[in-house]
Amino acid sequence: MAKVGSLELREHFVNCIKCCNGNAEQLQSLFLEADGTEGDKKSILEQAFRDVLRDLIVVSLDAVDVTPYTSLVQLSIDSAQAGICLHTVPFILLGDALDFVTINVCEKIFEFVESRVSTWTQPAFYSSGKILLLRMCNDLLRRLSSALNTVFCGRIQLFLARLFPLSEKSALNLMSHFNVDNVTTYNKSIGAGDEAPDAQQKMEVDADGGYELGALIDYN
């Protein structure tokens, strides 16, 4: 491959991503043939992925089919496993996509995220992207309504519970910050010599489906 500048290489990467049909081998061949340091090429490829995602969002912002998004993220996963891009790229793409699409589309994209738990828990991905994944889920939870999107919120919480171990530092109170303003008031317990409260009447259902007063129930 002839020597090209960073902008031209970025354009080559964009075209390859769009035309390779999810085949990371073609992208890897272009990466190896390109001039420049490995770090520079990885940075350029990351920006190329984000350029393709931007074009997808512009063209299909309200589209119901999320296959183009999930295919792009899967290609970034394969590229990271091939060593031609950083392991943080899939998380960056997911975060960018979930920030712009509608809630209905977010829910379908999140199904892909849930199905890749075994990938996210791999040491290379987990150490590089666990904070990005946690931030992505928290940002998504802030967009959702706890009353209208209860099931979706629960799925996100279960996903985080499956992803992070119980010893994860983000779930621990390492700084020992406590809510000292929270005061619980207890009622005085009744001892043997204290007077019991007034007897309460029990409500019973009559034959007609109504309610009537039943026998008296004392404190004991």
Side-chain angles (χ1 to χ4, degrees):
M1 181 177 180
K3 185 175 182 179
V4 296
S6 59
L7 293 178
E8 294 174 303
L9 179 59
R10 177 173 164 182
E11 187 65 26
H12 286 316
F13 280 144
V14 169
N15 294 331
C16 184
I17 292 172
K18 292 181 177 179
C19 301
C20 69
N21 295 322
N23 187 357
E25 294 181 359
Q26 297 182 22
L27 195 58
Q28 185 178 10
S29 299
L30 178 60
F31 182 90
L32 296 176
E33 293 174 2
D35 293 325
T37 64
E38 183 175 344
D40 291 340
K41 291 189 289 185
K42 285 184 177 181
S43 299
I44 296 172
L45 180 56
E46 175 184 343
Q47 190 57 52
F49 271 114
R50 301 187 75 175
D51 290 343
V52 175
L53 178 64
R54 178 200 59 203
D55 295 340
L56 283 177
I57 293 173
V58 172
V59 173
S60 57
L61 182 60
D62 297 325
V64 179
D65 185 17
V66 298
T67 303
Y69 297 108
T70 56
S71 298
L72 181 64
V73 175
Q74 183 60 51
L75 179 59
S76 67
I77 293 174
D78 296 338
S79 300
Q81 292 174 334
I84 61 176
C85 77
L86 299 176
H87 287 80
T88 56
V89 173
F91 305 104
I92 293 174
L93 296 178
L94 286 170
D96 290 345
L98 293 175
D99 283 342
F100 286 97
V101 298
T102 61
I103 296 298
N104 292 333
V105 180
C106 284
E107 190 166 1
K108 294 183 178 181
I109 294 178
F110 194 76
E111 292 178 2
F112 171 83
V113 178
E114 290 176 307
S115 66
R116 296 298 186 275
V117 173
S118 59
T119 300
W120 311 138
T121 52
Q122 293 178 9
F125 286 102
Y126 185 78
S127 60
S128 301
K130 64 177 181 179
I131 300 302
L132 295 174
L133 197 57
L134 179 61
R135 184 183 298 120
M136 178 192 74
C137 291
N138 288 333
D139 290 342
L140 189 55
L141 285 172
R142 278 191 286 268
R143 289 182 58 192
L144 299 176
S145 169
S146 58
L148 300 177
N149 308 110
T150 307
V151 176
F152 192 13
C153 291
R155 285 172 52 195
I156 296 174
Q157 297 287 1
L158 288 174
F159 169 76
L160 292 175
R162 291 170 57 194
L163 184 67
F164 293 99
L166 294 176
S167 59
E168 171 60 32
K169 292 184 178 180
S170 61
L172 302 179
N173 186 11
L174 298 176
M175 303 300 294
S176 298
H177 291 162
F178 300 101
N179 184 11
V180 296
D181 296 330
N182 184 19
V183 178
T184 303
T185 303
Y186 296 94
N187 294 329
K188 180 181 178 182
S189 60
I190 299 178
D194 296 333
E195 294 182 359
D198 296 337
Q200 299 178 354
Q201 289 182 308
K202 180 177 65 174
M203 302 295 292
E204 293 182 349
V205 182
D206 58 17
D208 297 330
Y211 292 93
E212 63 179 4
L213 294 177
L216 294 178
I217 303 175
D218 61 14
Y219 179 76
N220 293 326

Coordinates of all heavy atoms in Angstrom, one line a residue, residues 1-4 9 30-37 40-41 44:
M1 N 0.8 -1.2 0.0 CA 0.0 0.0 0.0 C 0.9 1.2 0.0 O 1.8 1.3 0.8 CB -0.9 0.0 1.2 CG -1.9 1.2 1.3 SD -3.0 1.1 2.7 CE -3.9 2.6 2.5
A2 N 0.6 2.2 -0.9 CA 1.4 3.4 -1.0 C 1.2 4.2 0.3 O 0.2 4.2 1.0 CB 0.9 4.2 -2.2
K3 N 2.2 5.0 0.6 CA 2.2 5.8 1.8 C 1.1 6.9 1.7 O 1.0 7.6 0.7 CB 3.6 6.4 2.0 CG 3.7 7.2 3.4 CD 5.1 7.7 3.6 CE 5.2 8.4 4.9 NZ 6.6 8.9 5.2
V4 N 0.3 6.9 2.7 CA -0.8 7.9 2.7 C -0.8 8.6 4.1 O -0.2 8.2 5.1 CB -2.2 7.2 2.5 CG1 -2.3 6.6 1.2 CG2 -2.4 6.2 3.6
L9 N -5.8 7.6 5.3 CA -5.9 6.3 5.9 C -7.2 6.1 6.6 O -7.8 5.0 6.6 CB -4.7 6.0 6.8 CG -4.7 4.7 7.6 CD1 -4.6 3.6 6.6 CD2 -3.5 4.7 8.5
L30 N -5.7 -4.5 5.7 CA -5.4 -3.1 5.5 C -4.6 -2.4 6.6 O -3.8 -1.6 6.3 CB -6.8 -2.4 5.3 CG -6.8 -0.9 5.1 CD1 -6.0 -0.5 3.8 CD2 -8.2 -0.3 5.0
F31 N -4.9 -2.8 7.8 CA -4.1 -2.3 8.9 C -2.7 -2.6 8.9 O -1.8 -1.8 9.1 CB -4.8 -2.8 10.2 CG -4.1 -2.3 11.5 CD1 -4.6 -1.2 12.1 CD2 -3.0 -3.0 12.1 CE1 -4.0 -0.7 13.3 CE2 -2.5 -2.5 13.2 CZ -2.9 -1.4 13.8
L32 N -2.4 -3.9 8.5 CA -1.0 -4.3 8.4 C -0.2 -3.7 7.3 O 1.0 -3.5 7.4 CB -0.9 -5.8 8.4 CG -1.5 -6.6 9.6 CD1 -1.5 -8.1 9.3 CD2 -0.7 -6.3 10.8
E33 N -0.9 -3.4 6.2 CA -0.3 -2.9 5.0 C 0.0 -1.4 5.2 O 0.8 -0.8 4.5 CB -1.1 -3.1 3.8 CG -1.2 -4.6 3.4 CD -2.2 -4.8 2.2 OE1 -2.8 -3.8 1.7 OE2 -2.4 -5.9 1.8
A34 N -0.8 -0.7 6.0 CA -0.7 0.8 6.1 C 0.6 1.1 6.9 O 1.1 0.4 7.7 CB -1.9 1.3 6.9
D35 N 1.1 2.3 6.5 CA 2.3 2.8 7.1 C 2.0 3.5 8.4 O 0.8 3.9 8.6 CB 3.1 3.8 6.2 CG 3.6 3.1 4.9 OD1 4.1 2.0 5.1 OD2 3.6 3.7 3.9
G36 N 3.0 3.7 9.3 CA 2.8 4.3 10.6 C 2.9 3.4 11.7 O 3.0 2.2 11.6
T37 N 3.0 4.0 12.9 CA 3.2 3.2 14.1 C 1.9 2.5 14.5 O 0.8 2.9 14.0 CB 3.6 4.1 15.3 OG1 2.6 5.0 15.6 CG2 4.9 4.8 15.0
D40 N -0.6 4.8 16.3 CA -1.3 5.8 15.4 C -2.4 5.1 14.6 O -3.5 5.7 14.4 CB -0.2 6.5 14.5 CG 0.7 7.4 15.3 OD1 0.4 7.8 16.4 OD2 1.8 7.7 14.7
K41 N -2.1 4.0 14.1 CA -3.1 3.3 13.2 C -4.3 2.9 14.1 O -5.4 2.9 13.6 CB -2.4 2.1 12.6 CG -1.4 2.5 11.5 CD -0.9 1.3 10.7 CE -0.1 0.3 11.5 NZ 0.5 -0.8 10.7
I44 N -6.4 5.9 14.5 CA -7.1 6.3 13.3 C -8.3 5.3 13.0 O -9.4 5.7 12.6 CB -6.1 6.3 12.1 CG1 -5.1 7.4 12.3 CG2 -6.9 6.5 10.8 CD1 -4.0 7.3 11.2

